[in-house]
Amino acid sequence: CLKAIMPFGNTHNNFKLNYKVEEEFPDLSKHNNHMAKALTKEIYGKLRDKQTPSGYTLDDVIQTGVDNPGHPFIMTVGCVAGDEESYEVFKDLLDPIISDRHGGYKSTDKHKTDLNFENLKGGDDLDPNYVLSSRVRTGRSIKGYTLPPHNSRGERRAIEKLAVEALTSLDGEFKGKYYPLKSMTDAEQEQLISDHFLFDKPVSPLLTCAGMARDWPDARGIWHNDSKSFLVWVNEEDHLRVISMQKGGNMREVFRRFCVGLQKIEEIFKKHNHGFMWNEHLGYILTCPSNLGTGLRGGVHVKLPKLSTHAKFEEILTRLRLQKRGTGGVDTASVGGVFDISNADRLGSSEVEQVQLVVDGVKLMVEMEKKLEKGEAIDSMIPAQK
Amino acid sequence: MASSFSRILSSKRNVGILSLVGGSVAAGFLLHREQVTAGEPLRRRYPASAEYPDLRKHNNCMASNLTPAIYAKLCDKTTPNGYTLDQAIQTGVDNPGHPFIKTVGMVAGDEESYEVFADLLDPVIKERHNGYDPNTMKHPTDLDSSKLHSGNFDERYVLSSRVRTGRSIRGLSLPPACTRAERREVERVVVDALAGLKGDLAGRYYSLTQMTEKEQQQLIDDHFLFDKPVSPLLTCAGMARDWPDARGIWHNNEKTFLIWVNEEDHTRVISMEKGGNMKRVFERFCKGLKEVERLIQERGWEFMWNERLGYVLTCPSNLGTGLRAGVHVKLPLLAKDSRFSKILDNLRLQKRGTGGVDTAAVGGVFDISNLDRLGQSEVQLVQTVVDGVNYLIECEKRLEKGQDIKSGPA
């Protein structure tokens, strides 16, 4: 049946079919991103007359990758989804990108979802002298709505309304409040900034070229619980970004709250006939293909001044399936030997498995740091590839 | 599914025939609004009231004129190429504006936008262009530079003279909406035509994607090179997509006639030189424009123009002549006089810093140019600048001698 289409995006899709593939194909000669690597003229020719039911086109998918050639060292994804169906309609392009980005994940592979926090072993005893804070985040998309690159104001507002209804019905440790970006008071804004909760209008061209900042700050907001340990961003880069965090090294507790909170929220959305976008091949469906699967980044801020200058630091991280960032998040530098260490994988392993890698890996690295402090060697501790 | 209107436009041969018959005027007749059919209507999921933007903190022409009723009427319409109202207004929704500076807040994605979304664009045009009503008024086009008089300024005050405008190629979508193939076609059509220029207009094209480091440095030193737009007014309208594909700069060997390809408009045409000979700058401007027009018509193309809106460009503020004629002029004493702004207002002139729009004046040197674009011809507007600048220089000379000045010419 004919569905409504979103009125923003690369319209002209039918008009441009008057031109040949060669005339429309983007110049990717200076590009270094997953999209540029995967997009051939053949694939472009095959997919360019297709649309998802909401009217999202191939040119919409790739615009951010055309506009942002990338970096010689950092390989960005270079494409986004506009709705759940994008991953189907444009699979000839997205499957190879997903495979390249997610360690060879095949189009026939199945993704395991495990949000049972009791399956996590340990995680409550990371040394707080080294592990300053612990955090787990993921994203969720609400089934039946188009995604941030594509949705109209009406759609985005409907998402906000449903999200706020669901979140404000939570109680107990999850009782909290929603702060819409466009109507928060100065005092509320100040408080959210000092809590490090407030998110800004995206400035990164990776996001703006994909249309995710349109109509800012309409229908965007932040919800958090009274104890400030569970936080949800509404309509930033995904419908929902869900964050559980606290000071210190009790990752187990952070993960428990994460799983319980997510499941409570999901129940409420299901009652409204709008569960989360999920399928057994790609797991949770999010805007950026890099966040498919669990969409989970579980990490700590940890003091590793000696280990971080060790020659084998990068190799240790790779073998542990972990990545490092500065304490400002992605694309920042570390300050005072404190690093943000988190899981590198998203798709092909479960939430429990990924958080387990963080817990075990960080524990090992703290022990290595202690050894180095005593002037001892750590070569025997270097693990095999996980 | 192309409307009959698009079919006519996409057949270049037919456009060529129309040009033989009567040039822009005949084709302009074709664009009379009753004859423009819109594209397929959008199927929308939400009613207009759920989609209407929140404009309470906004101060731009679009926000002042977009009522919920107009939004409801237009929100499911598309141009034949599929451009929508939401796309046209996106830049104004994303950029609330400034309490003191009123931006336009919307763009056109194609020529038909001005017809299909007339219910919004007409009041925006009226507000921006001092009451000009496209429904009832006609815009005069006059590129006969021989009519300009007194166009030689005192070079002790005027350091440089410049006239710029824009031109759009009929049948191809504008920068907010064009596809890569359309943009490349604009480049091809324009560069092909420019290669036919001769004499003092003969020159060369520098494509942004292919210029050498040396060429780039030279263009920077000449102050010719334009950058990828960073202003959110432009980026939110989609004008920087696919940068730098199909963008470039053409200039004549003497560096007095310059054309930007596929920046904010299909073409921006600039005539300039050091000193105060505005007459010669305007002569070259008119001659160059007419030559380029002749050359594209030979190949079956023409400029977007109609008798209600004049030359059709991306931003409604540039309709009509799209012309900004200006000088860099030293007015250090007048700059300190409290009547300066009022004098400029009376003369229908505006001041900018020497870096262009949104920059500050340095050393008492101002960029002075015409305020108006639509409703008066090119000759009239350049004459306004000539008369006005001559008056300003008069004022400066009087102030130098300690004499008093009046707020406007007698």
Side-chain angles (χ1 to χ4, degrees), chain A residues 275-318:
Chain A
F276 293 145
M277 288 183 199
W278 179 94
N279 68 52
E280 61 174 6
H281 168 49
L282 295 176
Y284 288 101
I285 303 290
L286 293 175
T287 302
C288 182
S290 69
N291 281 320
L292 292 166
T294 61
L296 186 145
R297 193 170 91 82
V300 299
H301 282 188
V302 56
K303 281 199 276 211
L304 300 170
K306 290 198 155 28
L307 184 60
S308 59
T309 52
H310 192 283
K312 294 256 165 85
F313 184 45
E314 298 287 344
E315 176 156 3
I316 291 166
L317 286 171
T318 305

Side-chain angles (χ1 to χ4, degrees), chain B residues 236-249:
Chain B
C236 293
M239 296 193 229
R241 285 172 304 125
D242 313 311
W243 201 274
D245 197 314
R247 273 86 168 188
I249 293 163

Side-chain angles (χ1 to χ4, degrees), chain A residues 8 201-202 208-209 211 213-216, chain B residues 83 86-96 107 176 229-241:
Chain A
F8 185 89
K201 175 169 179 175
T208 57
C209 293
R214 286 173 300 123
D215 313 311
W216 203 275
Chain B
Y83 198 66
D86 282 319
Q87 287 176 298
I89 66 173
Q90 190 68 59
T91 180
V93 176
D94 289 345
N95 297 291
V107 292
V230 292
S231 164
L233 299 177
L234 299 183
T235 56
C236 293
M239 296 193 229
R241 285 172 304 125

